[in-house]
Amino acid sequence: MPGPAAAIRALHYLCVMLPVGVFAFRLLLLPPLPRIVPTERALRQRLDQGLSRLLLSALAVALASGALWLATEASSMSGTPWLQAWSPSLLKTVLSQTQFGKVWLLRLALLVLLALGQFLRSRFAPQGRRTLDAVGAVLAGMLVGAIAWAGHAAAGEPAVRPLQLAADFVHLLAASLWLGCLLPLALLLLASRRPRGAAWQPLARRAVLRFGDLGLVSVGLLAVTGLANAWILVGGVGGLFGTAYGHLLLAKLAVFALMLALAAQNRLLFTPAVAAPQAIRGDAPGGLGRNAMLEFLFGAVLLLMVGQLGATAPAVHSQPVWPFPYRVSLAAMEDEDFPLALFQGLCTLALLATAALALLCWRWRQRRLWLGAAGGAAALSMAGLAGLLILPAYPTSYIQPGVRYGAESIAHGGPIYAANCALCHGPDGYGDGPAAASLPVRPANLTAGHLLHHAPGDLFWWISQGIAGTPMPGFAEQLSPDQRWDVLNFLRARADADRARALTASIEPWRPLLAPDFTFEVPGLGQGKLKAQRG
């Protein structure tokens, strides 16, 4: 469950996104005052005043929640209780010596400038107000986009940090445009359906039509930048389904899907009724307004999850625990029986497609039905082919090795292997140990042909828990996790050496032969590591 820190962050995100939405609503969704008829001008001015009050309220809450966020971060950084984090000396240290504090000061200045601009706005003529709104939109975009430099993106790897910051910045802006416009739009639509709200309908019609295009652009940007962030912070399917960060991201995607469903209903059902050239049909403004308000509420829930994501270690920095008994992997293609199974699957697909096309020719008048049947047959066949890539999985299938592949680990793993494994698998891992002949199942050959076909996490599970149906026992109680990784590193080195000795001119499936890292010394140049010489 999200904690108080996540709730504070979510509230702050919402309050800094609303100004972006208010400025976008004024500049993009509403017509300028000089371009509307006099009968609508008074309503436009009333709406403008309401938007100003909403914006100032959002900025006030953003300032308060930002102060709470600062104290929460100070408490987390210093390890002091939350109430003691308000110490002036501690806050001064955080603000002057951390990136979070420096970004916080920049965002505080932007908040003050936005509030000052709104207080002065009433003194400008309509054209001057529009110019001031354009400047305010830029400042509001900087205010919300600067959050990227206070989150996971700022702590990313140097190679991908610029891409991660850019994707996070655009993601925040796109979310602000969509979510920030929803509340003003919902309020306008609900006002237009009141008994005396017919005068609001022309403004509502224009806003709805323009918001549809803005929403499409925002959703597209959210999808692209969200995929980029997931690729960097999640890393893969293991992190998505096997870590707390991945679970939160899946929940966020579920809420986002609900928002998309409401948006689709708005665009396909209610928007055409609101955009009718003569008059708005039925209670379309009410339905559209209710859906917009629901989208906004779902967006608030989504921001609560985003706040919790900010306090959760990214999946790429966590060891995933795979929750399913199977996984899909291209490693299945390396199995000796895979070519035969693939050929059988392709033959089945060809037969089904031929039968579907024959039925299509026979019953041409119902071609749509048989085209659907052909598509279904092809889909089932492709699903069957995908089934060939399914492998058994274990909780550790997607974990990364806990000990670096280096000479020191290999040296530690050799004696451990000799004491625990050589009796069955043999001194060189060929499955020819002294006890092998007496076992009901011959021990596995641990050289390249066997070892490198499996994920490190699968091997770690087998050495920890054993293999059901075989004499292979588990060593979780006898060996520590690091010792088990040492054994696997030793076996990997032996397997690579065995493959290197067997290299010939014949072409085989490519697998990397990676030398284990080690430290060496060159006279006159000091010590160095092999890893530093690569490339």
PDB file of all heavy atoms in Angstrom, residues 303-329:
ATOM      1  N   LEU A 303      -1.570   8.666 -10.129  1.00  0.00           N
ATOM      2  CA  LEU A 303      -0.479   9.456  -9.565  1.00  0.00           C
ATOM      3  C   LEU A 303      -0.053   8.940  -8.195  1.00  0.00           C
ATOM      4  O   LEU A 303       1.120   9.036  -7.823  1.00  0.00           O
ATOM      5  CB  LEU A 303      -0.899  10.925  -9.467  1.00  0.00           C
ATOM      6  CG  LEU A 303      -1.016  11.682 -10.786  1.00  0.00           C
ATOM      7  CD1 LEU A 303      -1.450  13.121 -10.528  1.00  0.00           C
ATOM      8  CD2 LEU A 303       0.297  11.662 -11.546  1.00  0.00           C
ATOM      9  N   LEU A 304      -0.998   8.392  -7.445  1.00  0.00           N
ATOM     10  CA  LEU A 304      -0.641   7.783  -6.164  1.00  0.00           C
ATOM     11  C   LEU A 304       0.318   6.610  -6.387  1.00  0.00           C
ATOM     12  O   LEU A 304       1.282   6.419  -5.631  1.00  0.00           O
ATOM     13  CB  LEU A 304      -1.910   7.318  -5.441  1.00  0.00           C
ATOM     14  CG  LEU A 304      -1.753   6.841  -4.000  1.00  0.00           C
ATOM     15  CD1 LEU A 304      -1.211   7.954  -3.117  1.00  0.00           C
ATOM     16  CD2 LEU A 304      -3.079   6.342  -3.459  1.00  0.00           C
ATOM     17  N   MET A 305       0.053   5.832  -7.443  1.00  0.00           N
ATOM     18  CA  MET A 305       0.962   4.731  -7.774  1.00  0.00           C
ATOM     19  C   MET A 305       2.309   5.260  -8.254  1.00  0.00           C
ATOM     20  O   MET A 305       3.363   4.688  -7.938  1.00  0.00           O
ATOM     21  CB  MET A 305       0.327   3.850  -8.844  1.00  0.00           C
ATOM     22  CG  MET A 305      -0.945   3.166  -8.405  1.00  0.00           C
ATOM     23  SD  MET A 305      -1.701   2.213  -9.733  1.00  0.00           S
ATOM     24  CE  MET A 305      -3.177   1.614  -8.880  1.00  0.00           C
ATOM     25  N   VAL A 306       2.289   6.351  -9.014  1.00  0.00           N
ATOM     26  CA  VAL A 306       3.536   6.958  -9.463  1.00  0.00           C
ATOM     27  C   VAL A 306       4.354   7.442  -8.265  1.00  0.00           C
ATOM     28  O   VAL A 306       5.583   7.298  -8.233  1.00  0.00           O
ATOM     29  CB  VAL A 306       3.249   8.121 -10.428  1.00  0.00           C
ATOM     30  CG1 VAL A 306       4.530   8.883 -10.759  1.00  0.00           C
ATOM     31  CG2 VAL A 306       2.616   7.602 -11.705  1.00  0.00           C
ATOM     32  N   GLY A 307       3.669   8.013  -7.271  1.00  0.00           N
ATOM     33  CA  GLY A 307       4.367   8.427  -6.060  1.00  0.00           C
ATOM     34  C   GLY A 307       5.034   7.262  -5.356  1.00  0.00           C
ATOM     35  O   GLY A 307       6.158   7.380  -4.854  1.00  0.00           O
ATOM     36  N   GLN A 308       4.355   6.116  -5.318  1.00  0.00           N
ATOM     37  CA  GLN A 308       4.941   4.933  -4.699  1.00  0.00           C
ATOM     38  C   GLN A 308       6.089   4.383  -5.546  1.00  0.00           C
ATOM     39  O   GLN A 308       7.092   3.889  -5.012  1.00  0.00           O
ATOM     40  CB  GLN A 308       3.872   3.854  -4.503  1.00  0.00           C
ATOM     41  CG  GLN A 308       4.344   2.634  -3.732  1.00  0.00           C
ATOM     42  CD  GLN A 308       4.752   2.951  -2.308  1.00  0.00           C
ATOM     43  OE1 GLN A 308       4.227   3.875  -1.692  1.00  0.00           O
ATOM     44  NE2 GLN A 308       5.692   2.184  -1.770  1.00  0.00           N
ATOM     45  N   LEU A 309       5.957   4.455  -6.882  1.00  0.00           N
ATOM     46  CA  LEU A 309       7.050   4.021  -7.753  1.00  0.00           C
ATOM     47  C   LEU A 309       8.312   4.831  -7.499  1.00  0.00           C
ATOM     48  O   LEU A 309       9.426   4.304  -7.563  1.00  0.00           O
ATOM     49  CB  LEU A 309       6.633   4.150  -9.223  1.00  0.00           C
ATOM     50  CG  LEU A 309       5.681   3.090  -9.769  1.00  0.00           C
ATOM     51  CD1 LEU A 309       5.183   3.481 -11.157  1.00  0.00           C
ATOM     52  CD2 LEU A 309       6.365   1.731  -9.824  1.00  0.00           C
ATOM     53  N   GLY A 310       8.128   6.133  -7.208  1.00  0.00           N
ATOM     54  CA  GLY A 310       9.288   6.961  -6.935  1.00  0.00           C
ATOM     55  C   GLY A 310      10.025   6.567  -5.666  1.00  0.00           C
ATOM     56  O   GLY A 310      11.208   6.877  -5.518  1.00  0.00           O
ATOM     57  N   ALA A 311       9.333   5.884  -4.756  1.00  0.00           N
ATOM     58  CA  ALA A 311       9.953   5.451  -3.503  1.00  0.00           C
ATOM     59  C   ALA A 311      10.348   3.978  -3.540  1.00  0.00           C
ATOM     60  O   ALA A 311      10.765   3.428  -2.520  1.00  0.00           O
ATOM     61  CB  ALA A 311       8.991   5.696  -2.337  1.00  0.00           C
ATOM     62  N   THR A 312      10.216   3.324  -4.696  1.00  0.00           N
ATOM     63  CA  THR A 312      10.514   1.902  -4.839  1.00  0.00           C
ATOM     64  C   THR A 312      11.721   1.726  -5.743  1.00  0.00           C
ATOM     65  O   THR A 312      11.851   2.412  -6.760  1.00  0.00           O
ATOM     66  CB  THR A 312       9.312   1.157  -5.444  1.00  0.00           C
ATOM     67  OG1 THR A 312       8.152   1.402  -4.641  1.00  0.00           O
ATOM     68  CG2 THR A 312       9.574  -0.341  -5.506  1.00  0.00           C
ATOM     69  N   ALA A 313      12.606   0.823  -5.373  1.00  0.00           N
ATOM     70  CA  ALA A 313      13.793   0.570  -6.189  1.00  0.00           C
ATOM     71  C   ALA A 313      13.382   0.056  -7.558  1.00  0.00           C
ATOM     72  O   ALA A 313      12.513  -0.823  -7.662  1.00  0.00           O
ATOM     73  CB  ALA A 313      14.694  -0.452  -5.500  1.00  0.00           C
ATOM     74  N   PRO A 314      13.957   0.592  -8.650  1.00  0.00           N
ATOM     75  CA  PRO A 314      13.611   0.096  -9.988  1.00  0.00           C
ATOM     76  C   PRO A 314      13.869  -1.401 -10.119  1.00  0.00           C
ATOM     77  O   PRO A 314      14.732  -1.971  -9.434  1.00  0.00           O
ATOM     78  CB  PRO A 314      14.533   0.907 -10.912  1.00  0.00           C
ATOM     79  CG  PRO A 314      14.857   2.141 -10.143  1.00  0.00           C
ATOM     80  CD  PRO A 314      14.897   1.720  -8.701  1.00  0.00           C
ATOM     81  N   ALA A 315      13.123  -2.014 -11.013  1.00  0.00           N
ATOM     82  CA  ALA A 315      13.221  -3.466 -11.174  1.00  0.00           C
ATOM     83  C   ALA A 315      14.623  -3.898 -11.600  1.00  0.00           C
ATOM     84  O   ALA A 315      15.080  -4.987 -11.228  1.00  0.00           O
ATOM     85  CB  ALA A 315      12.187  -3.943 -12.196  1.00  0.00           C
ATOM     86  N   VAL A 316      15.320  -3.053 -12.386  1.00  0.00           N
ATOM     87  CA  VAL A 316      16.654  -3.444 -12.847  1.00  0.00           C
ATOM     88  C   VAL A 316      17.651  -3.517 -11.694  1.00  0.00           C
ATOM     89  O   VAL A 316      18.719  -4.106 -11.847  1.00  0.00           O
ATOM     90  CB  VAL A 316      17.170  -2.465 -13.925  1.00  0.00           C
ATOM     91  CG1 VAL A 316      16.367  -2.593 -15.194  1.00  0.00           C
ATOM     92  CG2 VAL A 316      17.152  -1.023 -13.416  1.00  0.00           C
ATOM     93  N   HIS A 317      17.322  -2.918 -10.564  1.00  0.00           N
ATOM     94  CA  HIS A 317      18.204  -2.969  -9.394  1.00  0.00           C
ATOM     95  C   HIS A 317      17.712  -3.962  -8.350  1.00  0.00           C
ATOM     96  O   HIS A 317      18.206  -3.959  -7.211  1.00  0.00           O
ATOM     97  CB  HIS A 317      18.315  -1.575  -8.768  1.00  0.00           C
ATOM     98  CG  HIS A 317      18.881  -0.552  -9.695  1.00  0.00           C
ATOM     99  ND1 HIS A 317      18.554   0.788  -9.638  1.00  0.00           N
ATOM    100  CD2 HIS A 317      19.751  -0.663 -10.732  1.00  0.00           C
ATOM    101  CE1 HIS A 317      19.201   1.443 -10.586  1.00  0.00           C
ATOM    102  NE2 HIS A 317      19.915   0.590 -11.268  1.00  0.00           N
ATOM    103  N   SER A 318      16.744  -4.790  -8.703  1.00  0.00           N
ATOM    104  CA  SER A 318      16.187  -5.777  -7.770  1.00  0.00           C
ATOM    105  C   SER A 318      16.306  -7.162  -8.383  1.00  0.00           C
ATOM    106  O   SER A 318      16.329  -7.318  -9.605  1.00  0.00           O
ATOM    107  CB  SER A 318      14.712  -5.465  -7.469  1.00  0.00           C
ATOM    108  OG  SER A 318      14.546  -4.142  -6.986  1.00  0.00           O
ATOM    109  N   GLN A 319      16.389  -8.157  -7.524  1.00  0.00           N
ATOM    110  CA  GLN A 319      16.394  -9.544  -8.001  1.00  0.00           C
ATOM    111  C   GLN A 319      14.953 -10.025  -8.107  1.00  0.00           C
ATOM    112  O   GLN A 319      14.244 -10.109  -7.106  1.00  0.00           O
ATOM    113  CB  GLN A 319      17.176 -10.448  -7.036  1.00  0.00           C
ATOM    114  CG  GLN A 319      18.669 -10.205  -7.025  1.00  0.00           C
ATOM    115  CD  GLN A 319      19.371 -10.765  -8.261  1.00  0.00           C
ATOM    116  OE1 GLN A 319      18.796 -10.837  -9.340  1.00  0.00           O
ATOM    117  NE2 GLN A 319      20.615 -11.170  -8.094  1.00  0.00           N
ATOM    118  N   PRO A 320      14.484 -10.346  -9.314  1.00  0.00           N
ATOM    119  CA  PRO A 320      13.076 -10.752  -9.471  1.00  0.00           C
ATOM    120  C   PRO A 320      12.808 -12.142  -8.949  1.00  0.00           C
ATOM    121  O   PRO A 320      13.676 -13.023  -8.988  1.00  0.00           O
ATOM    122  CB  PRO A 320      12.876 -10.680 -10.998  1.00  0.00           C
ATOM    123  CG  PRO A 320      14.230 -10.907 -11.568  1.00  0.00           C
ATOM    124  CD  PRO A 320      15.201 -10.296 -10.593  1.00  0.00           C
ATOM    125  N   VAL A 321      11.600 -12.331  -8.454  1.00  0.00           N
ATOM    126  CA  VAL A 321      11.116 -13.649  -8.041  1.00  0.00           C
ATOM    127  C   VAL A 321       9.997 -14.021  -9.026  1.00  0.00           C
ATOM    128  O   VAL A 321       8.907 -13.454  -8.969  1.00  0.00           O
ATOM    129  CB  VAL A 321      10.593 -13.634  -6.593  1.00  0.00           C
ATOM    130  CG1 VAL A 321      10.065 -15.015  -6.213  1.00  0.00           C
ATOM    131  CG2 VAL A 321      11.697 -13.204  -5.635  1.00  0.00           C
ATOM    132  N   TRP A 322      10.277 -14.948  -9.940  1.00  0.00           N
ATOM    133  CA  TRP A 322       9.330 -15.293 -10.996  1.00  0.00           C
ATOM    134  C   TRP A 322       8.144 -16.041 -10.401  1.00  0.00           C
ATOM    135  O   TRP A 322       8.317 -17.063  -9.740  1.00  0.00           O
ATOM    136  CB  TRP A 322      10.030 -16.143 -12.053  1.00  0.00           C
ATOM    137  CG  TRP A 322       9.192 -16.427 -13.268  1.00  0.00           C
ATOM    138  CD1 TRP A 322       8.710 -17.628 -13.657  1.00  0.00           C
ATOM    139  CD2 TRP A 322       8.745 -15.484 -14.241  1.00  0.00           C
ATOM    140  NE1 TRP A 322       7.996 -17.512 -14.812  1.00  0.00           N
ATOM    141  CE2 TRP A 322       7.994 -16.196 -15.198  1.00  0.00           C
ATOM    142  CE3 TRP A 322       8.902 -14.113 -14.399  1.00  0.00           C
ATOM    143  CZ2 TRP A 322       7.405 -15.575 -16.297  1.00  0.00           C
ATOM    144  CZ3 TRP A 322       8.322 -13.503 -15.492  1.00  0.00           C
ATOM    145  CH2 TRP A 322       7.582 -14.221 -16.418  1.00  0.00           C
ATOM    146  N   PRO A 323       6.904 -15.583 -10.624  1.00  0.00           N
ATOM    147  CA  PRO A 323       5.750 -16.189  -9.944  1.00  0.00           C
ATOM    148  C   PRO A 323       5.084 -17.333 -10.706  1.00  0.00           C
ATOM    149  O   PRO A 323       4.160 -17.947 -10.173  1.00  0.00           O
ATOM    150  CB  PRO A 323       4.783 -15.002  -9.817  1.00  0.00           C
ATOM    151  CG  PRO A 323       5.070 -14.170 -11.033  1.00  0.00           C
ATOM    152  CD  PRO A 323       6.532 -14.336 -11.326  1.00  0.00           C
ATOM    153  N   PHE A 324       5.534 -17.629 -11.938  1.00  0.00           N
ATOM    154  CA  PHE A 324       4.835 -18.613 -12.766  1.00  0.00           C
ATOM    155  C   PHE A 324       5.695 -19.863 -12.959  1.00  0.00           C
ATOM    156  O   PHE A 324       6.933 -19.788 -12.910  1.00  0.00           O
ATOM    157  CB  PHE A 324       4.490 -18.019 -14.140  1.00  0.00           C
ATOM    158  CG  PHE A 324       3.726 -16.731 -14.060  1.00  0.00           C
ATOM    159  CD1 PHE A 324       4.276 -15.546 -14.542  1.00  0.00           C
ATOM    160  CD2 PHE A 324       2.460 -16.683 -13.491  1.00  0.00           C
ATOM    161  CE1 PHE A 324       3.588 -14.348 -14.476  1.00  0.00           C
ATOM    162  CE2 PHE A 324       1.761 -15.487 -13.414  1.00  0.00           C
ATOM    163  CZ  PHE A 324       2.328 -14.322 -13.901  1.00  0.00           C
ATOM    164  N   PRO A 325       5.057 -21.020 -13.213  1.00  0.00           N
ATOM    165  CA  PRO A 325       5.836 -22.251 -13.412  1.00  0.00           C
ATOM    166  C   PRO A 325       6.444 -22.376 -14.800  1.00  0.00           C
ATOM    167  O   PRO A 325       7.215 -23.301 -15.045  1.00  0.00           O
ATOM    168  CB  PRO A 325       4.796 -23.356 -13.168  1.00  0.00           C
ATOM    169  CG  PRO A 325       3.494 -22.734 -13.529  1.00  0.00           C
ATOM    170  CD  PRO A 325       3.602 -21.294 -13.151  1.00  0.00           C
ATOM    171  N   TYR A 326       6.083 -21.470 -15.704  1.00  0.00           N
ATOM    172  CA  TYR A 326       6.632 -21.529 -17.065  1.00  0.00           C
ATOM    173  C   TYR A 326       7.048 -20.133 -17.500  1.00  0.00           C
ATOM    174  O   TYR A 326       6.625 -19.123 -16.945  1.00  0.00           O
ATOM    175  CB  TYR A 326       5.597 -22.089 -18.058  1.00  0.00           C
ATOM    176  CG  TYR A 326       5.183 -23.514 -17.760  1.00  0.00           C
ATOM    177  CD1 TYR A 326       4.019 -23.780 -17.053  1.00  0.00           C
ATOM    178  CD2 TYR A 326       5.969 -24.588 -18.170  1.00  0.00           C
ATOM    179  CE1 TYR A 326       3.643 -25.080 -16.769  1.00  0.00           C
ATOM    180  CE2 TYR A 326       5.601 -25.886 -17.894  1.00  0.00           C
ATOM    181  CZ  TYR A 326       4.438 -26.132 -17.188  1.00  0.00           C
ATOM    182  OH  TYR A 326       4.063 -27.422 -16.905  1.00  0.00           O
ATOM    183  N   ARG A 327       7.873 -20.104 -18.540  1.00  0.00           N
ATOM    184  CA  ARG A 327       8.282 -18.843 -19.148  1.00  0.00           C
ATOM    185  C   ARG A 327       8.497 -19.080 -20.635  1.00  0.00           C
ATOM    186  O   ARG A 327       8.689 -20.225 -21.072  1.00  0.00           O
ATOM    187  CB  ARG A 327       9.556 -18.298 -18.513  1.00  0.00           C
ATOM    188  CG  ARG A 327      10.780 -19.190 -18.680  1.00  0.00           C
ATOM    189  CD  ARG A 327      11.952 -18.680 -17.854  1.00  0.00           C
ATOM    190  NE  ARG A 327      13.109 -19.568 -17.934  1.00  0.00           N
ATOM    191  CZ  ARG A 327      14.145 -19.359 -18.747  1.00  0.00           C
ATOM    192  NH1 ARG A 327      14.166 -18.290 -19.531  1.00  0.00           N
ATOM    193  NH2 ARG A 327      15.166 -20.196 -18.780  1.00  0.00           N
ATOM    194  N   VAL A 328       8.450 -18.004 -21.412  1.00  0.00           N
ATOM    195  CA  VAL A 328       8.709 -18.074 -22.848  1.00  0.00           C
ATOM    196  C   VAL A 328      10.138 -17.629 -23.097  1.00  0.00           C
ATOM    197  O   VAL A 328      10.553 -16.557 -22.640  1.00  0.00           O
ATOM    198  CB  VAL A 328       7.723 -17.189 -23.628  1.00  0.00           C
ATOM    199  CG1 VAL A 328       8.041 -17.221 -25.121  1.00  0.00           C
ATOM    200  CG2 VAL A 328       6.296 -17.653 -23.391  1.00  0.00           C
ATOM    201  N   SER A 329      10.905 -18.449 -23.812  1.00  0.00           N
ATOM    202  CA  SER A 329      12.308 -18.140 -24.036  1.00  0.00           C
ATOM    203  C   SER A 329      12.751 -18.674 -25.392  1.00  0.00           C
ATOM    204  O   SER A 329      12.372 -19.773 -25.798  1.00  0.00           O
ATOM    205  CB  SER A 329      13.177 -18.744 -22.927  1.00  0.00           C
ATOM    206  OG  SER A 329      14.550 -18.561 -23.214  1.00  0.00           O
TER     207      SER A 329
END
